[in-house]
Amino acid sequence: MLEMTREAFEELVSEALDRIPPELTRVMDNVAVFVEDEPEPSDPELLGLYEGTPLTERGEWYAGVLPDRISIYMGPTLRHCATTEDVVHEVAVTVVHEVAHHFGIEDERLHELGWG
């Protein structure tokens, strides 16, 4: 398994978020991004997870709710990648993938676009 400090991994996640175009980040609403060590044991190789209500499904009822949560998992990412460059790429893809879920884009479409 590739070695990387949590601080370095968190910086990669931050850099990936910074590369999202400003016109998209301006409309992101009530979402928080976290780096976690590992996903649930039922899916040990999961690289990222979006939990919440996508922007496309929010209506008048959507008020006073906890933020959506995007989790990026360090352990599986480092196990999946052979080089630091692979980690940089995989983190970027995973961040974009999970942010896209916040915008209501489904897995099938993300795979078609190359963000699977």
Side-chain angles (χ1 to χ4, degrees):
M1 182 168 100
L2 187 65
E3 296 283 328
M4 180 176 283
T5 66
R6 183 177 184 92
E7 183 178 86
F9 190 85
E10 288 175 352
E11 183 61 29
L12 292 178
V13 172
S14 178
E15 289 170 3
L17 287 166
D18 287 345
R19 285 193 295 270
I20 295 172
E23 57 271 16
L24 293 179
T25 58
R26 278 194 294 274
V27 295
M28 290 175 66
D29 182 47
N30 201 30
V31 61
V33 179
F34 298 91
V35 170
E36 303 287 346
D37 292 330
E38 296 289 338
E40 293 295 319
S42 60
D43 200 355
E45 294 309 309
L46 187 65
L47 303 182
L49 180 65
Y50 169 77
E51 299 171 284
T53 304
L55 294 174
T56 55
E57 296 178 17
R58 296 179 185 179
E60 292 178 18
W61 59 270
Y62 189 85
V65 299
L66 292 174
D68 293 1
R69 180 182 182 96
I70 291 175
S71 299
I72 307 298
Y73 299 110
M74 184 173 163
T77 303
L78 295 180
R79 288 191 296 274
H80 179 76
C81 297
T83 67
T84 301
E85 292 78 20
D86 291 344
V87 176
V88 170
H89 173 76
E90 196 58 57
V91 166
V93 169
T94 303
V95 166
V96 168
H97 183 102
E98 301 311 329
V99 167
H101 286 320
H102 176 68
F103 284 98
I105 301 170
E106 300 291 332
D107 279 332
E108 181 178 296
R109 181 66 179 137
L110 287 167
H111 284 279
E112 289 172 5
L113 296 171
W115 295 102

